[in-house]
Amino acid sequence: DHRDLPSFPTRRSSDLGDFEKELAAPGATTADVFPSVLDSRQAAIAIHPGSGSAAKNWPDERWRELMARLDAPILLVLGEAERARWTAPMLAPLSSPPHHHREMADCLPLPELAAALRRCRLFLGHDSGVSHLAAAVGRPGVLLFGPTDPAMWAPPGPGMRVIRRGTTLDRISVGDVVDALSDLHLWP
């Protein structure tokens, strides 16, 4: 079961109770609990490799290749639709680099997922509700689009960059994503 993979510890809703405790602490502010981490190289890059349709997903092997190239902490966001594809054997080669933590947000309730995304420095994903949530909490990022129209379906806001190379996502290369991150000064 991928949720028990040591190199990708799983964050479940019971793990996030400290956020509520910190926010309720006397004198605590939202900035204390959810600091702005946009410029922090210690903050994770959130990656959501799924969507509500297989046709809107970048090939999983490209996500794995990108994750292997990113010298950064990663928060892998999985929902019900991704669980069957992202298994322990698939994740095993993606263990954490020596100085970076990699963890998984596995089917978190939306308020807890929003809190986890807010603590990340940027977001990578597709045409999905999670992409809209990342934009809503102010994370910049890169979104990969294929069959759907980003003018209609991409979250609004200046922080999200859309890559689209036609109606299928297999035309988007890992290099395209790395270049977009570099162009936006989001990585490295």
Side-chain angles (χ1 to χ4, degrees), residues 99-113:
H99 54 286
H100 293 302
H101 184 68
R102 301 214 166 159
E103 77 179 284
M104 185 181 336
D106 187 11
C107 295
L108 293 179
L110 286 179
E112 294 169 5
L113 179 55

Side-chain angles (χ1 to χ4, degrees), residues 10-83:
T10 302
R11 179 176 285 187
R12 295 185 177 93
S13 61
S14 61
D15 300 332
L16 298 176
D18 290 340
F19 292 151
E20 294 169 3
K21 292 176 192 169
E22 290 176 34
L23 192 56
T29 66
T30 303
D32 295 329
V33 182
F34 305 116
S36 176
V37 293
L38 290 176
D39 295 326
S40 171
R41 298 302 181 208
Q42 298 305 312
I45 296 172
I47 295 178
H48 178 234
S51 71
S53 166
K56 298 191 305 181
N57 292 342
W58 201 34
D60 289 340
E61 61 272 7
R62 299 231 180 110
W63 282 116
R64 290 192 306 270
E65 182 183 340
L66 178 65
M67 290 171 65
R69 285 181 65 176
L70 294 174
D71 185 20
I74 291 176
L75 175 66
L76 181 63
V77 178
L78 298 180
E80 290 293 330
E82 296 81 47
R83 280 180 151 186

